[in-house]
Amino acid sequence: MNIDVKEMARLYLILVLVSQTCGDIYLHNMRGSNNRLGEKSATRTNANRMFNSQNNNRGGYNVGDATDTPHGTDEGKQYRMKYFQSGPVKTLQNGAGESRLVLEWTNQHGCGGNEDNSPQKQNCALILQYLCQDDVDSPTGTADTLRNGVSTKTQDYKKPDSLTESKSDAQTRKDDNVKSDRGLHESWAWYDKCYLRERNKGLFNADQKLKTNNGLGYSSAAYTRQNPQGNRYGYECPEERDHFPYWHPTPWKDIAVLAENASMCSYYQSHSFNVQPKSECVEMYPDNTRRHFSRWNNQADCVANAGQWVELHNYLEKAPQFTSESACRNARSAGLTYIWAVPYDAQQVTAKQCLVQLSRPDCSEAPWSRSNHLGNGVDGEPLNYTWVLPHFPSGKTKRCVFRIRYNISTDDYDPYHTDSNYNGNMSPIKGNPYVDIGVGRSSLRLNINTNQYGRIFQDRSHVFLLRTRPAGMQNDIIHNLNVRGKRGNIVQVYPAVEYDFVPNNLHVKTGELVHIQWTGSNTHKNGPNGGDGQTGDDGEGKTATDRNNLVEIFDRNDNYPIPFEKTTMWSGAEIKWIYHGKTSVSSKNLAVNMASAGYYRCIKTVDCSEAAHQDYTVESRDKLQDQLNNAPASYEGAVVKFRQGTYHYMCTRNNNFTNRSQKGTIIVS
């Protein structure tokens, strides 16, 4: 596409947002990090660690621990949530093969509604995205491997001395910058490209004075209205963070847009990089391999400086087994579409490859929530979206991260048609303006900060895995049943939440499967520094520890578990998969496994035939502490097919009258 940067601003909608508070969006399932790692304090250590959330420092959840002790300096002892991918017949008859994950969050400033019913004080949209790569055996992997890290420090970055640096000098910079013990989402090359590319000068910056020199004589995409000083947050690109759909190729895949108005859906869907290719200036090294960055952000400047303006495509994954255009276009697998195109990360940009095409993002109006209230939505239901997890036809396990962006704006100016023509003195909004109320010298002053008037908040998950399905489960619908929340009472954990099951009321049909799994930390102490809230970790059992289990109760009003002999939940339940072993586990052993949070695998040693589980039986293992102190903080779980009926359950440790009621229900109809 041959367009200038101002035309880019018109073609690619800018979701500009507003707030004068420190408020925010917080993921609760999947558990959002808010840049936390394993802090024992109520506040996070480093708001710049991985991404720019603009959230309150107290938010977020620590990375999960695999055992009953903190992971410390060993990322291999962290727990990554492990979800099964959708099967190969996803989206066919009646949702066959879908793996459904309920995402829950809270957003402070309100969302949803329209002028005719439930009007809001502002407009908003929510953008749900993910980033995946092939999993590797090592917890930290290579320099570009997604990881949580074990240090709260931000990855390093040093700019090049020249835009003509050699390939070896660029590699040296990367090797010196990227540290294996620090967290990583976007790659070093992604930020380097952002820092060195000229910013889109067609975008609206209000009266903000963006930094005009990145050390190389021009202002880059690292400087935006919300980030005029170019502060760095991990390897996130500020310009991409602040705008959607972004005009430039990006590694993020779009899941859904929960829009300010349903009339915007066709725009969002058609301009998503999932389905619309985006162009980029490509420069080459002398050995004819691609230089990962270019200064130029439009075709005219690119070509004038010996670059190639190349149309690039996003993709679910590559399909290298199809080596020709005809073989690629004729490929049929799992109802997916294959395209013959140049991927956004191609090293040889003249050679097309076979790519599994992404589908356009889902789109609907955002769920309604009350302004200035960090809580549930309509009828007390948590704000949520059910993500149908992708299917990767390669059969490989993927290492992934999820992010949600919360975009809010007012009607004080037109967010869809206000571009750089209205920057500076022409801006329709000004910082902290005085307004005349008609009484001469007695003007009033408004509290408006134009780098926040129109604003984006963000939260991201810790790294998780999307695994291929075991044999015999390819066509089944899988519902994921998880736990949200952390240790402490509501004042101590806020703006996080206390424990609960997600979804709290799970409706499934006979024959559908439920994957029960949770994660927790051993360092959720919520100690000083407390920021602007109360410290402490009230609760049962060992201080600072998250623990969960699942036992059946007769009714949601009950607080005593049912003896196994009277159970209806486990009797007749069919175990389709259980972690690290065979499915030939009796219903009684499964009940013990769930009740002990995985501490016990079986009651009798003879029932655990696998050698790896011989020491995980009631007969062979030390006694389980009655408040689960010596049980693992995370539980990989089991996939179960329940018989028709209604089943209520609770967590024995956290069902505490003074703090919380951790109960849930599965309804099989």
Side-chain angles (χ1 to χ4, degrees):
M1 289 182 289
N2 186 6
I3 54 177
D4 63 25
V5 289
K6 289 190 177 182
E7 184 64 12
M8 291 177 196
R10 297 185 184 97
L11 288 177
Y12 299 97
L13 180 62
I14 308 163
L15 288 180
V16 287
L17 337 179
V18 61
S19 174
Q20 280 77 48
T21 71
C22 54
D24 321 5
I25 187 164
Y26 300 101
L27 268 173
H28 303 300
N29 195 58
M30 312 162 77
R31 289 153 57 100
S33 70
N34 195 39
N35 279 313
R36 293 183 71 93
L37 180 60
E39 286 90 329
K40 296 180 181 179
S41 60
T43 56
R44 62 189 171 190
T45 299
N46 180 6
N48 295 60
R49 190 173 84 93
M50 303 279 270
F51 59 96
N52 182 7
S53 74
Q54 299 203 15
N55 289 339
N56 186 291
N57 283 328
R58 288 180 59 93
Y61 301 87
N62 288 348
V63 68
D65 290 313
T67 69
D68 62 334
T69 58
H71 66 269
T73 59
D74 185 354
E75 188 162 347
K77 292 182 180 178
Q78 295 175 2
Y79 182 78
R80 295 191 179 97
M81 290 291 282
K82 302 171 178 65
Y83 307 98
F84 288 113
Q85 300 172 17
S86 287
V89 294
K90 182 176 75 70
T91 73
L92 296 183
Q93 296 181 355
N94 301 317
E98 290 183 349
S99 184
R100 300 171 182 172
L101 174 62
V102 175
L103 305 167
E104 287 189 0
W105 66 89
T106 50
N107 49 251
Q108 178 168 335
H109 300 293
C111 206
N114 54 56
E115 298 301 325
D116 298 323
N117 57 68
S118 60
Q120 288 284 12
K121 302 174 184 178
Q122 66 283 312
N123 305 317
C124 94
L126 296 144
I127 314 300
L128 284 61
Q129 298 174 301
Y130 70 102
L131 180 68
C132 281
Q133 59 186 213
D134 290 349
D135 191 31
V136 293
D137 292 334
S138 166
T140 55
T142 66
D144 294 330
T145 299
L146 293 169
R147 56 184 176 270
N148 299 316
V150 294
S151 167
T152 57
K153 292 182 179 179
T154 306
Q155 290 283 2
D156 290 341
Y157 177 73
K158 179 184 178 182
K159 65 179 182 292
D161 296 327
S162 166
L163 294 180
T164 59
E165 72 171 354
S166 67
K167 186 176 181 179
S168 61
D169 285 346
Q171 186 63 49
T172 298
R173 278 198 302 128
K174 178 178 179 179
D175 293 342
D176 290 344
N177 290 168
V178 183
K179 306 297 191 294
S180 62
D181 65 337
R182 301 182 191 180
L184 186 141
H185 288 172
E186 292 96 341
S187 68
W188 174 89
W190 170 249
Y191 182 78
D192 197 45
K193 176 187 298 189
C194 173
Y195 185 83
L196 299 175
R197 182 177 65 252
E198 284 195 16
R199 65 179 176 86
N200 185 337
K201 294 182 180 179
L203 301 177
F204 175 58
N205 298 320
D207 60 355
Q208 290 293 312
K209 291 179 170 47
L210 274 59
K211 197 171 180 181
T212 58
N213 191 335
N214 64 354
L216 295 167
Y218 57 92
S219 183
S220 78
Y223 304 95
T224 69
R225 180 180 54 79
Q226 291 187 71
N227 189 14
Q229 297 303 311
N231 296 325
R232 187 167 61 82
Y233 299 82
Y235 290 142
E236 181 175 60
C237 178
E239 191 177 83
E240 182 272 341
R241 175 202 175 275
D242 290 358
H243 301 95
F244 179 87
Y246 192 42
W247 66 271
H248 187 276
T250 164
W252 291 96
K253 326 297 181 188
D254 298 333
I255 300 168
V257 181
L258 307 181
E260 66 276 32
N261 190 295
S263 65
M264 293 303 303
C265 280
S266 61
Y267 179 89
Y268 289 130
Q269 291 177 314
S270 62
H271 286 77
S272 164
F273 188 39
N274 282 20
V275 294
Q276 183 187 70
K278 308 292 173 77
S279 296
E280 178 179 352
C281 188
V282 175
E283 300 180 30
M284 308 301 287
Y285 287 114
D287 66 357
N288 206 37
T289 58
R290 178 182 179 181
R291 187 187 299 273
H292 68 269
F293 65 84
S294 173
R295 170 180 173 174
W296 314 111
N297 67 3
N298 62 87
Q299 185 173 11
D301 287 341
C302 177
V303 174
N305 288 276
Q308 303 175 63
W309 190 248
V310 182
E311 183 178 87
L312 302 174
H313 292 251
N314 206 347
Y315 59 86
L316 178 68
E317 65 176 347
K318 296 178 181 177
Q321 68 272 29
F322 302 114
T323 57
S324 69
E325 182 174 2
S326 60
C328 179
R329 294 190 182 280
N330 292 326
R332 293 290 182 269
S333 173
L336 299 170
T337 300
Y338 292 75
I339 57 173
W340 188 251
V342 180
Y344 66 87
D345 55 354
Q347 292 303 302
Q348 301 295 334
V349 294
T350 57
K352 295 182 178 181
Q353 302 175 41
C354 191
L355 309 174
V356 182
Q357 188 176 41
L358 290 158
S359 59
R360 68 179 192 171
D362 187 21
C363 186
S364 61
E365 286 192 1
W368 186 91
S369 58
R370 176 182 168 187
S371 296
N372 302 320
H373 175 75
L374 200 63
N376 293 334
V378 176
D379 296 328
E381 287 296 316
L383 304 175
N384 68 87
Y385 175 84
T386 299
W387 180 19
V388 177
L389 300 176
H391 166 73
F392 295 89
S394 66
K396 295 180 179 179
T397 295
K398 301 292 180 175
R399 186 182 291 204
C400 309
V401 66
F402 168 83
R403 78 169 174 177
I404 184 170
R405 287 183 289 170
Y406 172 42
N407 310 286
I408 57 175
S409 66
T410 69
D411 289 327
D412 295 303
Y413 63 93
D414 183 347
Y416 308 127
H417 300 93
T418 305
D419 60 16
S420 59
N421 289 316
Y422 299 92
N423 285 342
N425 291 332
M426 296 299 293
S427 176
I429 53 172
K430 302 289 178 60
N432 298 332
Y434 292 93
V435 293
D436 184 359
I437 60 171
V439 289
R441 292 177 295 176
S442 298
S443 60
L444 300 177
R445 194 174 190 183
L446 301 181
N447 180 15
I448 293 177
N449 183 343
T450 55
N451 74 359
Q452 298 183 3
Y453 207 84
R455 194 173 181 187
I456 294 174
F457 303 96
Q458 178 185 193
D459 204 357
R460 297 189 185 183
S461 71
H462 297 290
V463 174
F464 62 93
L465 300 181
L466 291 179
R467 300 199 295 197
T468 57
R469 295 189 175 205
M473 290 169 45
Q474 297 300 309
N475 300 340
D476 293 309
I477 293 175
I478 297 178
H479 300 266
N480 288 279
L481 176 58
N482 308 130
V483 171
R484 72 177 196 178
K486 67 177 179 180
R487 174 67 177 261
N489 66 41
I490 191 60
V491 178
Q492 295 163 345
V493 304
Y494 187 83
V497 295
E498 299 179 69
Y499 300 116
D500 203 356
F501 293 102
V502 179
N504 192 253
N505 293 286
L506 176 58
H507 295 262
V508 306
K509 296 180 180 178
T510 53
E512 296 176 352
L513 310 181
V514 180
H515 182 193
I516 302 170
Q517 179 189 197
W518 59 76
T519 188
S521 168
N522 290 297
T523 54
H524 267 153
K525 191 173 181 61
N526 308 321
N529 179 352
D532 56 359
Q534 180 178 324
T535 61
D537 65 338
D538 288 358
E540 305 304 317
K542 184 179 179 181
T543 184
T545 61
D546 294 321
R547 292 293 184 271
N548 291 276
N549 68 347
L550 194 155
V551 298
E552 187 179 4
I553 53 179
F554 276 124
D555 186 86
R556 288 279 278 264
N557 290 323
D558 290 344
N559 295 289
Y560 287 84
I562 300 173
F564 179 78
E565 291 73 20
K566 295 184 178 181
T567 185
T568 59
M569 185 173 187
W570 306 115
S571 59
E574 180 182 351
I575 303 164
K576 300 286 289 187
W577 173 90
I578 190 167
Y579 68 99
H580 300 322
K582 301 175 181 178
T583 58
S584 56
V585 176
S586 70
S587 57
K588 188 169 186 177
N589 284 327
L590 178 62
V592 169
N593 186 258
M594 294 277 181
S596 66
Y599 184 83
Y600 294 131
R601 176 75 170 201
C602 304
I603 299 172
K604 298 181 180 298
T605 305
V606 69
D607 294 334
C608 277
S609 58
E610 300 97 332
H613 301 138
Q614 293 288 301
D615 295 331
Y616 287 83
T617 70
V618 176
E619 289 182 337
S620 63
R621 198 167 195 192
D622 290 342
K623 182 181 178 181
L624 175 69
Q625 199 274 338
D626 56 18
Q627 290 185 311
L628 305 173
N629 288 341
N630 56 349
S634 302
Y635 176 61
E636 193 170 340
V639 178
V640 183
K641 181 189 292 184
F642 292 103
R643 295 189 305 173
Q644 184 173 340
T646 299
Y647 308 105
H648 307 290
Y649 54 88
M650 74 173 191
C651 171
T652 58
R653 170 160 139 161
N654 302 325
N655 190 51
N656 181 320
F657 278 113
T658 62
N659 303 122
R660 60 196 65 79
S661 175
Q662 190 179 349
K663 300 174 183 177
T665 300
I666 299 174
I667 302 169
V668 185
S669 61

